[in-house]
Amino acid sequence: MNTSPAAQPSQEHSAARRVLNWVHAQTADWLRTEGERWIFVARAMLASFSALWLAFRLGLDAPYTALATTIILAMPSSGMVLEKAFYRFLGTLVGCSAALALVALFPQAPIVLFIGLALWVALCTGGAAMHRNQQSYSFVLAGYTAVMIAVPAVDAPDHVFTLAVTRVTEVGLGIICSAVVHDVFFPRRHSRAVMRTVQARYAGFIDFCRQVLEHRITPADAELSHLKFAADIAALESGRAAAFFEAGHSRSHTRQLHAFNAAFMTALTTFYTLHRLSHRLRTAGEGPVPALVEPMYAHMAGALRNELTSARLARMRHELASDIAAARARLAAGPALERAPRIDFDTAVELLERFAGNLADFAALYHGLTQRKRQQISDPGAYSPRTPPAIIVASGFRAGVTLLATAAMWYWLAWPATVNAVLMATIFCALASSSPRPTALVRQVLIGFLIAIPAAFVTEFLLVAKADNFYPLVLAALPLFACGAYLSSGPRWGGVGVGLGMFSATLVVPSNLMRYDVESFIGSELSLTMGVVVAYLMFKVVLPEHTMGHRGHVAAALWREAQHACGARLHRLKRRFDNRVRDLLSQLNAAAGPAPNAETRAVVRQGLTLLELGHAVIELRQLLAASHAGRARDSLEAVLRQLAAYLRAPSRRGGELALQAVLDAGTAIRAALPDAHPERRARLHTALTDLHSIYTSLLDQLSGEPHVPSPAA
């Protein structure tokens, strides 16, 4: 039967379809890159001018505050906007309350008031440096909002309550407009970005493990990979926190992401220990152990080439068990191994079995996330950032000193516009405190301010001055604000865009009663720029080495965390220890940039060695908590005491004492093995593996020094 002509597409329809397909193919890449940026600019402009229009309609005293709020809150995804909006409103409320309290306590004592403000700003900036996420933004807002309310009220303290209420109203209006626009108009859900991060993390880790098992990656490249993985862990936690504010993101999904991060860190640490042992055995020269374990590596690498379903993972573990049994049979049939190679073999087998289990847990959590399956997960604990105390104190001190210095400038210059310099210096000292490269960030903002000076002047006096109602005003100011939003949407010039947008929002937008005063405009722009310059100089002059991610502070903090592992409460200690060490490495990665130097690489190696050491110590402590009194237990306790003393005050002598304690403990445990029942024998073998990890980690710490004992733990 012939098909009717009506059922066949006409040539015109086919040609049109081909044209549409061609257009779609040509624009697909643009829509995913530049198209996303221009959609972001459109959302930002809609939110900004909606807030400005409402501020005019409501007769607010400073409509530009609502506009500036929307510019600051403009973020790529709706989840990030909602998260930042929540913490901005919370910080504004706390800052206004602090300003009211300080002005009420010191209404006629400006010097004492400024000292109180400096202490408050220092406290809030220290809190921001401690958290380093959107919660830190709440601390920043609480600090500089108090300054924005209290400083104008120095000469008129009876107006402070009105200033506080007006500030909350204007900021709240900007928050509402930003939240509605970014969540309703072409929203970009952050939960999708989180899932892309999860998929990239999983694929990258599996590929990394396969390359290591196939000996296709150098130790130096492996260290850099671990550094980037640490940054990925922190980025995923930041993304999860933003996605939490979106509709459809459930509490169970949050727990799954926490568990995914935790499983990843566990597998990564086990695999690092395994890789270090494998590399040491291969570079040590001839020996029977590499030949025994190499088939296990090859079979596991082959399994990692395929998708890790539960069936394939079960088969991989079964093949691993068969390989281990075959290797043990070869050992039994051949000549007896010496003590050191035998321990190396047992440790490699233990680590392979442990990694296979870690990998199975990690893959199960990944498939549960990607297939949107709800999994029953016990609370693994949230990722906990850890900033070195010296950096927290330095950040607070720098911000407090900046406020007092600019307040002194205001007093001695007797220039009313200097109040803008006080505010700008305080704001950017607080905002940049959590940045690994604060001077670069403030420099970019300063460039944005300098670009905005002539552009804002032309916009205000040649374009905005001719606008007779709101809509011509929008057309006049739109190019300048859109340029700032576009620059802020990219990582390279983000700071320039922020500076351009903030400067323009402060000076270009008219108030309810407009005054076009060139002298006032120039004075304001000079004082605003002066404030950013002061912030830049403060980061250059006041404790310049005490910035986020500085390798000296990170290295000291890593030693403190390892010492903490020897005596802290055991409940969730392993997870907390892993979180904090990875977070310190992520800070180091952010400060080092794309090409870490030799000194940074040395800190990375030390951090990974201390991570391995800390894990082994915690496992020993867990075994001790479940063991009975005896010589083996006493020897393990001696190991922990010597390790704690060495980590508290590292020295050559302390390291040798710890090494000897490990050797003595190994002898005591091997003596207890023949008479132990099966369950205790398994625990003793685990203790031997942990002792071997501790011994080799100590050797790495003492490497390069003379008279190091031979590895025979």
Side-chain angles (χ1 to χ4, degrees):
M1 182 176 179
N2 295 329
T3 306
S4 64
Q8 297 178 350
S10 65
Q11 291 184 356
E12 290 81 1
H13 287 172
S14 298
R17 186 175 294 109
R18 285 196 298 270
V19 170
L20 289 175
N21 291 337
W22 181 85
V23 170
H24 176 74
Q26 296 299 316
T27 59
D29 290 338
W30 184 86
L31 288 173
R32 285 192 296 267
T33 54
E34 282 296 302
E36 286 281 358
R37 296 183 71 178
W38 284 109
I39 291 173
F40 164 77
V41 171
R43 287 199 306 264
M45 294 301 96
L46 180 60
S48 298
F49 289 108
S50 297
L52 182 62
W53 182 81
L54 287 172
F56 279 132
R57 295 290 294 176
L58 295 173
L60 300 183
D61 293 342
Y64 63 84
T65 301
L67 173 64
T69 298
T70 62
I71 291 173
I72 293 170
L73 291 180
M75 303 289 284
S77 69
S78 57
M80 297 172 75
V81 171
L82 294 171
E83 181 190 24
K84 193 171 184 179
F86 172 78
Y87 287 116
R88 182 175 180 85
F89 189 69
L90 181 62
T92 300
L93 287 178
V94 174
C96 289
S97 301
L100 291 173
L102 287 170
V103 174
L105 288 172
F106 313 112
Q108 303 297 329
I111 295 178
V112 181
L113 175 62
F114 273 106
I115 293 174
L117 281 173
L119 292 174
W120 173 254
V121 168
L123 180 66
C124 292
T125 305
M130 183 185 300
H131 287 84
R132 303 191 335 277
N133 49 25
Q134 289 302 339
Q135 293 180 16
S136 72
Y137 187 61
S138 187
F139 281 90
V140 170
L141 260 293
Y144 76 69
T145 297
V147 178
M148 296 181 76
I149 300 301
V151 171
V154 168
D155 296 326
D158 53 321
H159 292 163
V160 67
F161 184 77
T162 303
L163 290 171
V165 172
T166 302
R167 175 73 183 177
V168 171
T169 303
E170 293 162 351
V171 170
L173 177 61
I175 287 172
I176 292 171
C177 290
S178 287
V180 170
V181 169
H182 286 276
D183 199 44
V184 173
F185 295 93
F186 301 103
R188 185 182 179 188
R189 301 301 180 195
H190 202 73
S191 54
R192 297 173 187 169
V194 169
M195 288 311 302
R196 287 194 296 270
T197 302
V198 166
Q199 292 166 346
R201 164 87 61 79
Y202 178 79
F205 178 63
I206 297 300
D207 184 62
F208 168 74
C209 293
R210 188 179 68 252
Q211 290 188 58
V212 169
L213 291 171
E214 293 173 347
H215 310 303
R216 293 195 292 114
I217 188 169
T218 65
D221 290 336
E223 289 164 2
L224 290 180
S225 297
H226 280 277
L227 194 61
K228 292 174 182 175
F229 282 139
D232 289 344
I233 292 167
L236 180 60
E237 172 58 23
S238 177
R240 181 214 57 80
F244 179 79
F245 285 83
E246 295 179 346
H249 185 91
S250 63
R251 182 178 177 83
S252 64
H253 195 220
T254 294
R255 293 166 74 95
Q256 284 179 274
L257 287 170
H258 279 318
F260 177 81
N261 239 356
F264 176 67
M265 286 187 283
T266 302
L268 190 59
T269 303
T270 303
F271 191 74
Y272 171 73
T273 307
L274 176 65
H275 178 210
R276 213 161 61 89
L277 175 63
S278 171
H279 178 70
R280 190 184 301 115
L281 292 175
R282 292 178 67 241
T283 55
E286 294 295 329
V289 178
L292 290 170
V293 299
E294 202 60 42
M296 307 177 197
Y297 295 156
H299 289 162
M300 186 173 284
L304 295 181
R305 291 192 184 95
N306 304 311
E307 184 182 355
L308 294 180
T309 62
S310 57
R312 285 199 177 103
L313 284 166
R315 186 162 59 250
M316 181 187 75
R317 299 178 77 173
H318 177 73
E319 290 177 353
L320 178 61
S322 300
D323 289 340
I324 292 172
R328 292 192 189 281
R330 288 175 60 188
L331 276 178
L337 284 181
E338 295 180 1
R339 186 174 66 176
R342 179 74 193 196
I343 293 175
D344 284 335
F345 173 76
D346 291 338
T347 302
V349 167
E350 168 74 19
L351 290 172
L352 279 166
E353 292 178 327
R354 191 184 303 177
F355 175 68
N358 296 156
L359 189 61
D361 295 338
F362 179 58
L365 286 165
Y366 168 75
H367 291 306
L369 282 168
T370 55
Q371 297 169 13
R372 299 184 180 276
K373 293 179 181 178
R374 288 199 174 187
Q375 298 168 301
Q376 295 298 324
I377 298 171
S378 59
D379 187 8
Y383 180 86
S384 54
R386 186 76 168 182
T387 304
I391 294 177
I392 296 173
V393 174
S395 299
F397 176 77
R398 188 185 298 111
V401 168
T402 300
L403 176 60
L404 292 177
T406 49
M409 288 171 52
W410 185 25
Y411 175 79
W412 290 108
L413 291 176
W415 180 27
T418 316
V419 67
N420 294 326
V422 176
L423 297 177
M424 287 294 109
T426 304
I427 288 171
F428 286 105
C429 264
L431 282 174
S433 63
S434 299
S435 172
R437 291 185 289 274
T439 53
L441 174 61
V442 178
R443 183 170 60 247
Q444 277 208 346
V445 173
L446 180 59
I447 292 172
F449 271 48
L450 294 176
I451 293 173
I453 288 175
F457 186 90
V458 170
T459 300
E460 171 139 354
F461 292 100
L462 298 183
L463 299 177
V464 173
K466 298 180 180 179
D468 56 357
N469 59 53
F470 181 76
Y471 302 105
L473 165 66
V474 172
L475 292 176
L478 183 61
L480 183 59
F481 287 103
C483 179
Y486 180 81
L487 290 174
S488 66
S489 65
R492 185 174 182 182
W493 304 108
V496 176
V498 170
L500 182 60
M502 287 188 63
F503 189 95
S504 303
T506 305
L507 290 182
V508 171
V509 176
S511 58
N512 292 307
L513 183 61
M514 191 61 196
R515 293 175 60 249
Y516 293 98
D517 186 345
V518 174
E519 182 180 351
S520 176
F521 182 93
I522 294 175
S524 296
E525 70 182 19
L526 288 176
S527 60
L528 290 170
T529 307
M530 181 191 302
V532 183
V533 171
V534 169
Y536 178 81
L537 293 176
M538 284 295 175
F539 277 108
K540 280 287 190 180
V541 174
V542 180
L543 302 175
E545 299 298 319
H546 290 66
T547 52
M548 200 67 63
H550 186 272
R551 60 176 176 269
H553 293 291
V554 169
L558 288 169
W559 280 90
R560 286 194 299 271
E561 291 300 331
Q563 179 192 347
H564 189 70
C566 295
R569 189 167 60 98
L570 274 175
H571 179 64
R572 288 184 175 172
L573 176 60
K574 196 172 185 179
R575 187 63 43 74
R576 292 198 308 274
F577 173 73
D578 218 345
N579 283 349
R580 289 171 178 175
V581 171
R582 301 286 180 192
D583 181 68
L584 288 167
L585 292 177
S586 74
Q587 296 175 45
L588 188 65
N589 178 72
N597 56 25
E599 292 81 2
T600 301
R601 287 171 177 261
V603 176
V604 174
R605 285 193 297 273
Q606 186 182 75
L608 292 173
T609 302
L610 290 172
L611 180 65
E612 179 187 5
L613 178 65
H615 269 263
V617 166
I618 294 169
E619 288 171 3
L620 272 186
R621 291 184 60 199
Q622 290 171 341
L623 289 172
L624 281 173
S627 64
H628 300 291
R631 187 184 168 205
R633 179 189 175 96
D634 293 341
S635 64
L636 291 178
E637 288 178 343
V639 170
L640 292 177
R641 286 195 300 272
Q642 292 295 340
L643 273 176
Y646 170 69
L647 293 170
R648 186 165 49 250
S651 67
R652 175 73 187 180
R653 176 61 179 164
E656 290 177 346
L657 290 174
L659 286 170
Q660 188 59 49
V662 173
L663 292 173
D664 294 341
T667 302
I669 289 175
R670 279 187 295 274
L673 275 173
D675 300 328
H677 55 80
E679 183 180 350
R680 188 178 182 228
R681 188 179 296 114
R683 290 202 302 268
L684 291 175
H685 278 298
T686 303
L688 281 175
T689 300
D690 293 331
L691 286 173
H692 190 59
S693 296
I694 292 171
Y695 193 90
T696 53
S697 298
L698 286 171
L699 285 178
D700 283 350
Q701 290 294 337
L702 298 174
S703 62
E705 298 184 30
H707 311 302
V708 177
S710 60

